[in-house]
Amino acid sequence: MILFPAIDLVEGRVVRLERGDRRRMKVYSEDPAAVAASFARCGVEWVHVVDLSAAFGEGERACAANRKAIEKICALGSLKVDVGGGVRSLDRIEELAQAGASRIALGTAIVRDAAFARDAARAYGDLLTADVAARDGMVKVDGWRKGADVSACDLVARLSDDGFRHLVFTDIARDGMQTGIDVRAYRRIAAAAGFPVVASGGVATLADIEALSREASDVVEGCITGRALYEGAFVLEDALCAARAKKGDA
């Protein structure tokens, strides 16, 4: 299973939010590229980067700082970068592709502009990831602030037909809360999509990572960890070992 340490960006800084709430933000670093480089030195292959300023529609100065940080992370060359947040045009997809992103996530656009998302997925294929977040089974958009009036299962059911082959699913109620995971939710979403999910939201202990890694490969492709890692609930090397646990391990 792939372990994706998370780097969430606001105004060029590494932050974490509680349940996606911009008002409940903690800053962990002023140097995102240095954080990413430290992950690489520990043996990480992938990093999950989210441009929260773009997702929230913040000002140009904030978004420019995030774009610069993303470019620096991609330029390291030692990591595969999965990046998203406010990606709503083919131009932005191309910019990120040219910067060296290995995966580019579409979130709000999947709901608000299904035709664009479909065309983008068919044009960019395996480069794109569908980024779906839900609370109580219902999808949230625009940085998780607004309801979309569609269930997560209904939305992901059409992703395969639209050309998507990768999916990040975030359980908003658990995100940034270190409350533990709900494996059953990821099983339901993977079954609806028809391909495996990258699990996001609630990872609190190594046991959570191990539980996800033991799921079948057609259920879980990877998991994202953020606050628990930054606040020392476990060290990254141990998390990488946990991610390699196999179904049936003790």
Side-chain angles (χ1 to χ4, degrees), residues 127-142:
L127 184 64
L128 291 196
T129 296
D131 188 351
V132 177
R135 185 191 295 270
D136 298 326
M138 298 302 292
V139 173
K140 298 288 186 178
V141 296
D142 291 333

Side-chain angles (χ1 to χ4, degrees), residues 109-197:
I110 295 172
V111 178
R112 293 281 173 81
D113 194 345
F116 158 71
R118 182 169 54 250
D119 291 345
R122 290 173 179 172
Y124 286 90
D126 203 50
L127 184 64
L128 291 196
T129 296
D131 188 351
V132 177
R135 185 191 295 270
D136 298 326
M138 298 302 292
V139 173
K140 298 288 186 178
V141 296
D142 291 333
W144 307 350
R145 294 170 298 177
K146 299 178 182 178
D149 198 28
V150 62
S151 75
C153 286
D154 286 347
L155 177 61
V156 302
R158 66 171 169 81
L159 293 178
S160 182
D161 289 341
D162 286 352
F164 287 94
R165 296 295 179 268
H166 301 292
L167 167 64
V168 172
F169 179 73
T170 301
D171 185 345
I172 295 172
R174 295 171 182 267
D175 188 74
M177 301 305 293
Q178 294 180 253
T179 53
I181 58 168
D182 180 359
V183 174
R184 294 171 299 178
Y186 299 116
R187 290 173 185 160
R188 289 194 297 270
I189 292 297
F195 53 87
V197 62

Side-chain angles (χ1 to χ4, degrees), residues 9-12 51-71 85-86 92:
L9 299 172
V10 169
E11 300 176 349
D51 184 344
L52 290 175
S53 293
F56 292 143
E58 296 183 349
E60 176 55 27
R61 183 175 180 179
C63 291
N66 282 0
R67 287 195 297 269
K68 184 176 181 180
I70 291 167
E71 290 167 1
R92 183 58 179 150

Side-chain angles (χ1 to χ4, degrees), residues 4 24 34 44 48 67 74 87-88 95 99 107 109 114 141 166 172 177 185 201 205 220 226:
F4 295 82
R24 302 173 73 180
V44 166
H48 178 72
R67 287 195 297 269
C74 289
V87 180
R88 294 165 191 167
E95 286 175 4
V141 296
H166 301 292
I172 295 172
M177 301 305 293
T205 66
V220 174

Side-chain angles (χ1 to χ4, degrees), residues 4-22:
F4 295 82
I7 297 179
D8 290 356
L9 299 172
V10 169
E11 300 176 349
R13 300 173 296 170
V14 180
V15 307
R16 292 299 290 172
L17 310 183
E18 291 184 5
R19 296 172 177 168
D21 189 340
R22 178 68 166 80

